[in-house]
Amino acid sequence: MEASKALQTEAKDATGPGEAKRAAAAAKAANRLPEVRLVVLGWRWPGKSLTGNSILGREEFHLERAAEFCVKRETEVLGRQVTVVDTPGWFSAQDTPPSYKQELVRGASLCPPGPHVFLLVIPVGMFTEVDRARIEEHVSLFGEHVWKHTIVVFTWAEVLKTISIERYIRREGKELQSVLERCKRRYFVINNSIFGEHPQVGRLLERVEKVVAEEGGYYNPEEVEKKPLDENQNPAREGRELGARPKQNSVLSLPKTTEVETLSSE
């Protein structure tokens, strides 16, 4: 009797994990999208364009100074038709020209009927109240419901070495955590030093599909309330700010690969 019970327990243990795996695979298959539409957001020099290149598996977005316009690229990735729109990066401390804000908002309309997810790229480093305010200022241009379709993507996490991303988030305090709370703590860490077929891209696309399943569809640009952009910029400053240097407030030393990026603009 005891032996029979033991065999039954072993049989359950043997089939349990297999059934769980099959259920997980079925859930993934149910959420799988034939087409994925992404818009990449962030300030200048955080690895924004590099993230787009990592997703597409090749250099489609060039790291040029003072990029003023959205760029759309598409290709097939892991059996999905993937569209990525790279947007003009905003400045760390200076006012963003109204023309840049208009172009930023236009990015959502370049992948009709609308992007499934916005990828908000944040480089690992010191995250300040100014950074939080700049993110709120620019993401809010898309309307409040944009946060339901946003995933934070951390770049340059290699500098953390043995520190986990969770510990880093706790260490940076309420400013970074408040941004994550806005998008229901959805975040992803990507290593943009990997070229070609990227092992993390599949997991990122699955994360996007999970957001779509949870939130029910995509972001609709037509629902954005048209608000006048801030016109308090000084026109004489606008031209000078196009070549603004990246912020230097990070207490972490970035890897050598970022030295190239700081001479470029996204």
Side-chain angles (χ1 to χ4, degrees), residues 108-167:
S109 65
L110 294 181
C111 48
H116 290 107
V117 160
F118 290 81
L119 301 179
L120 175 58
V121 178
I122 298 178
V124 165
M126 182 182 292
F127 193 89
T128 67
E129 171 61 23
V130 172
D131 296 327
R132 185 205 61 76
R134 301 298 279 169
I135 287 175
E136 294 274 359
E137 173 191 354
H138 292 86
V139 176
S140 68
L141 295 173
F142 296 91
E144 184 62 26
H145 64 297
V146 68
W147 290 104
K148 296 196 304 180
H149 302 275
T150 297
I151 297 175
V152 168
V153 175
F154 289 109
T155 57
W156 309 125
E158 306 91 273
V159 301
L160 294 176
K161 300 185 188 303
T162 58
I163 300 175
S164 69
I165 192 65
E166 291 79 13
R167 181 181 172 188

Side-chain angles (χ1 to χ4, degrees), residues 12-250:
K12 287 181 181 179
D13 291 341
T15 57
E19 291 175 354
K21 287 181 180 179
R22 285 193 291 273
K28 284 183 181 180
N31 293 337
R32 189 180 179 90
L33 298 171
E35 178 189 22
V36 175
R37 303 182 297 275
L38 306 171
V39 172
V40 188
L41 304 175
W43 54 76
R44 293 169 181 258
W45 301 280
K48 182 167 61 65
S49 296
L50 284 173
T51 298
N53 289 338
S54 294
I55 295 170
L56 296 174
R58 56 178 182 264
E59 186 177 350
E60 289 285 356
F61 304 112
H62 302 292
L63 310 181
E64 301 169 351
R65 279 189 73 81
E68 302 177 47
F69 304 103
C70 295
V71 178
K72 172 184 173 180
R73 295 290 184 266
E74 48 193 347
T75 189
E76 184 175 317
V77 180
L78 300 174
R80 306 166 177 86
Q81 185 67 24
V82 175
T83 299
V84 179
V85 177
D86 192 18
T87 59
W90 55 78
F91 304 108
S92 298
Q94 298 97 332
D95 292 330
T96 303
S99 60
Y100 273 48
K101 290 185 176 181
Q102 290 171 350
E103 182 66 10
L104 184 69
V105 173
R106 191 177 74 91
S109 65
L110 294 181
C111 48
H116 290 107
V117 160
F118 290 81
L119 301 179
L120 175 58
V121 178
I122 298 178
V124 165
M126 182 182 292
F127 193 89
T128 67
E129 171 61 23
V130 172
D131 296 327
R132 185 205 61 76
R134 301 298 279 169
I135 287 175
E136 294 274 359
E137 173 191 354
H138 292 86
V139 176
S140 68
L141 295 173
F142 296 91
E144 184 62 26
H145 64 297
V146 68
W147 290 104
K148 296 196 304 180
H149 302 275
T150 297
I151 297 175
V152 168
V153 175
F154 289 109
T155 57
W156 309 125
E158 306 91 273
V159 301
L160 294 176
K161 300 185 188 303
T162 58
I163 300 175
S164 69
I165 192 65
E166 291 79 13
R167 181 181 172 188
Y168 163 73
I169 292 170
R170 290 195 301 271
R171 186 183 69 183
E172 291 307 300
K174 63 180 182 180
E175 286 79 16
L176 179 56
Q177 291 174 26
S178 67
V179 173
L180 291 172
E181 289 298 331
R182 297 295 298 275
C183 58
K184 301 183 179 180
R185 299 192 68 83
R186 293 166 174 152
Y187 62 86
F188 192 85
V189 181
I190 193 165
N191 182 350
N192 287 321
S193 300
I194 301 174
F195 302 99
E197 187 174 337
H198 201 298
Q200 294 176 296
V201 170
R203 296 198 298 275
L204 176 58
L205 295 179
E206 289 174 4
R207 188 72 58 84
V208 170
E209 290 167 337
K210 184 178 179 182
V211 171
V212 173
E214 291 174 347
E215 302 297 344
Y218 56 88
Y219 168 88
N220 185 358
E222 300 296 328
E223 296 177 3
V224 181
E225 179 184 355
K226 301 298 181 183
K227 296 184 294 184
L229 298 177
D230 188 6
E231 298 290 347
N232 63 0
Q233 280 79 20
N234 183 344
R237 291 172 52 198
E238 184 171 317
R240 293 199 302 271
E241 289 173 352
L242 298 184
R245 299 298 298 171
K247 62 180 182 180
Q248 301 294 333
N249 64 352
S250 175

